[in-house]
Amino acid sequence: MRRRNFLRGACGVAVALPFLESLNWRRFIRTARAAEPGGKRLVVFFMCNGVNMETFFPAAPGPLTAASLMGTSLEPVADYAGKLLIPRGMHMVPKGWGQDADTPGDDHAKGMGHKLTAEALDPGTLYARGISIDQFAAKQLNKDGGPSMTLSVGWRHTNWLGHISYAGNNTPVTPEGNPWLTYQDLMGLGGLDDMVKMQIAARRQSVLDLVEEEFKALKAKNLSQADVQKIEMHADSIRDLEIDMVGNGLIECALDPARAAEIEAIDPDSVLEDWQFKAIGLMQLDILAMAIACGATSVGSIQWASGSGGPIYKWDGMNHEFNHHKLSHGNTKDDNSGEEVAGYLEMLTQIDRWHAEQYRHLLDRLSSYTEGDGTVLDNSAVAWFNELSDGKGHSYLDLPVVIAGGAGGYLKQGHYLDLIGGQDPWVQTHPHNRLLITLLNAVGCTDNGGPVTQFGRAGLEQGEYAELLA
C-alpha cells in the first residue's frame, strides 16, 4: 500500500502530497481533523440572581415587535423581535421553597443545579444528580461526542454555586474563565511556542502560504518532470478548494488578527476582577460565536458570574455600590441582615438591560455568519436562562426565559407566550423540564432512535411543549 507524503510548514500545518515516484518517504504526520460547520446548534446564556420581574417582560402576550419591547429590560434586543420566543409561566423542577421535600440544598443551590439538569441535588455534595442539556446535546451533535464549550465570566464560587453544566451524576463541568486559554484550546495552540501561536492565531493565511518554503525546497530536489507537474497540479487543486470553500460561505476558525491580539494580551491575574467583567465577557462571546459558526462545537454555554454572587456594576452608566446578589435582595448585606438599598429595583433593571446588551452581542455575532440561505443564528437555539426569577424571593416560579433563533425552523419565533393563560404562577402546571426536552428535540437530539420525551428527574412530566413549535 502506498503511504501518503506530507509537507509541514513553519506553523505546524501539514499538507498531504500526491505519491511521488522520485521519493519514498516512510513517515506520517498527525494532523488535526477540521470540524465541518452546519447543522443545528444549542447555546446557553446563563445569568444569576434573578431579574426585576416588573420590567423584564413585554406588557402583554402576543406577537413580538420592536415596539412591544420598548421600555422593558429586553429593549436592547428589539431589533431581533421577529427571531425571539419568550415563553412565560414555567416553574422550575425539582421545585424550590421546599416544595419537593426530598430535594436538598437552598434555593440558590437549586437554581444553579436544577436549571439545566431538572435533577435533584446530591445531599452530600449539592451537585446535580444528572447530565445537563448542553452536555447531553454535545454528546450527540459534536464530532466524536466531544463536550460542550463551557465558559464563564468573572469571579464565581468553586462549589455547587459556580456550576451549571454537568457531564453526569455528581460530575460538574468547570467552565473556563480566561478567553486566551479558551482561544488557545480552540486553535490547538497548547504547548506551542509564542511565535508559532501568533502565526496561527493572528494570521489567516492560505495553507499553501504556510508551506511555501517547503514546496520550494521539495521542487529543488532531483525530481522527475512528472513529479514536478504532480506537485504543481496538487497545489492548484488546494488553492481551488480554498477559493471554493470561501465562495460557499464556510467559516474559518480564527478571529480577526487584531481581536486575537487583544485576547492574547489579557493579564491572567485580572481576568476574574469586576473591572474586567465587560471586556472578558465580550471576548468569550466572540470566541463562542466563532466556535459555533465554524463547527468547532455545536453546543456551548456561557455563565455570567456565580449563584449568590456577582460583580459590582460600575460601567456603561452604572455606578453601583453593592454587588448583584445584594441588590437582588435590595439589601446591603448578603445574608439580608442589613439595610434596604434605595432604588435597588431600578439598579436591577439596569443590570438586566446590560445583560440583554450582551445577549444582543452574541446574536449579532451569530447573525454575522451566513449559512445557506440564512445565518448561523437561524440554525440555532440560543436560550437565555436565569438562576431564579424574582431574586429577592428566591422564586422558582414564572421563570424568565428568552430563546433566539428557530433551530432551523423547529421553534416558533416572534412571539411572547403566556403558557398558563393568566393564571397565578402558583398553579404550577408547566414544569421547566419540558422546555429542556423541547430544546433538545429542536436541535435534533434523539433518545433510543426517536424524539426525546423525558429529561431530568424520574417521575417528571414528559413531552415537549407544542406551544413552542413552529
Side-chain angles (χ1 to χ4, degrees), residues 449-461:
V452 179
T453 59
Q454 176 64 44
F455 189 83
R457 188 184 190 192
L460 294 177
E461 190 175 339

Side-chain angles (χ1 to χ4, degrees), residues 136 140 441 444-453:
F136 182 96
Q140 295 194 25
N441 285 328
C445 292
T446 60
D447 186 12
N448 294 320
V452 179
T453 59

Side-chain angles (χ1 to χ4, degrees), residues 209-268:
D209 293 335
L210 296 172
V211 294
E212 180 180 9
E213 294 303 318
E214 285 72 16
F215 258 117
K216 289 179 179 178
L218 179 58
K219 288 195 288 186
K221 294 180 180 293
N222 188 24
L223 300 181
S224 68
Q225 184 63 33
D227 281 345
V228 171
Q229 289 178 349
K230 285 181 182 180
I231 292 175
E232 292 176 348
M233 290 174 63
H234 190 60
D236 288 343
S237 67
I238 293 174
R239 184 77 72 182
D240 289 343
L241 176 61
E242 291 180 328
I243 294 172
D244 183 61
M245 289 173 65
V246 173
N248 282 290
L250 296 184
I251 298 154
E252 193 172 7
C253 263
L255 291 176
D256 177 85
R259 187 58 165 161
E262 289 176 358
I263 292 172
E264 186 191 13
I266 294 168
D267 175 4

Side-chain angles (χ1 to χ4, degrees), residues 361-424:
H361 182 83
L362 177 58
L363 303 187
D364 284 345
R365 298 299 299 134
L366 293 173
S367 295
S368 71
Y369 296 106
T370 58
E371 192 168 67
D373 295 330
T375 68
V376 171
L377 176 61
D378 295 325
N379 290 320
S380 303
V382 186
W384 178 354
F385 287 94
N386 207 299
E387 173 194 351
L388 302 162
S389 54
D390 171 38
K392 188 172 186 179
H394 284 179
S395 181
Y396 70 97
L397 302 172
D398 199 11
L399 298 175
V401 173
V402 181
I403 304 166
Y410 195 95
L411 297 173
K412 186 174 292 184
Q413 296 185 86
H415 280 81
Y416 170 35
L417 304 176
D418 179 5
L419 297 177
I420 59 176
Q423 298 182 78
D424 189 312

Side-chain angles (χ1 to χ4, degrees), residues 175-323:
E176 177 55 65
N178 186 329
W180 177 234
L181 296 181
T182 303
Y183 194 61
Q184 288 187 72
D185 288 344
L186 178 64
M187 301 296 293
L189 303 179
L192 301 179
D193 62 51
D194 290 341
M195 183 179 71
V196 172
K197 287 179 184 178
M198 287 310 298
Q199 284 177 305
I200 296 175
R203 294 178 64 194
R204 294 185 291 181
Q205 297 172 290
S206 163
V207 169
L208 294 179
D209 293 335
L210 296 172
V211 294
E212 180 180 9
E213 294 303 318
E214 285 72 16
F215 258 117
K216 289 179 179 178
L218 179 58
K219 288 195 288 186
K221 294 180 180 293
N222 188 24
L223 300 181
S224 68
Q225 184 63 33
D227 281 345
V228 171
Q229 289 178 349
K230 285 181 182 180
I231 292 175
E232 292 176 348
M233 290 174 63
H234 190 60
D236 288 343
S237 67
I238 293 174
R239 184 77 72 182
D240 289 343
L241 176 61
E242 291 180 328
I243 294 172
D244 183 61
M245 289 173 65
V246 173
N248 282 290
L250 296 184
I251 298 154
E252 193 172 7
C253 263
L255 291 176
D256 177 85
R259 187 58 165 161
E262 289 176 358
I263 292 172
E264 186 191 13
I266 294 168
D267 175 4
D269 294 331
S270 70
V271 165
L272 303 184
E273 295 182 9
D274 286 2
W275 66 273
Q276 285 275 51
F277 196 75
K278 177 181 177 180
I280 297 299
L282 291 174
M283 290 176 180
Q284 295 280 56
L285 291 174
D286 287 348
I287 295 169
L288 175 58
M290 185 265 291
I292 289 286
C294 75
T297 183
S298 293
V299 187
S301 68
I302 183 163
Q303 172 187 334
W304 296 86
S306 189
S308 190
I312 300 175
Y313 291 80
K314 288 183 175 292
W315 52 85
D316 289 347
M318 297 177 287
N319 190 27
H320 300 169
E321 182 179 354
F322 302 100
N323 73 9

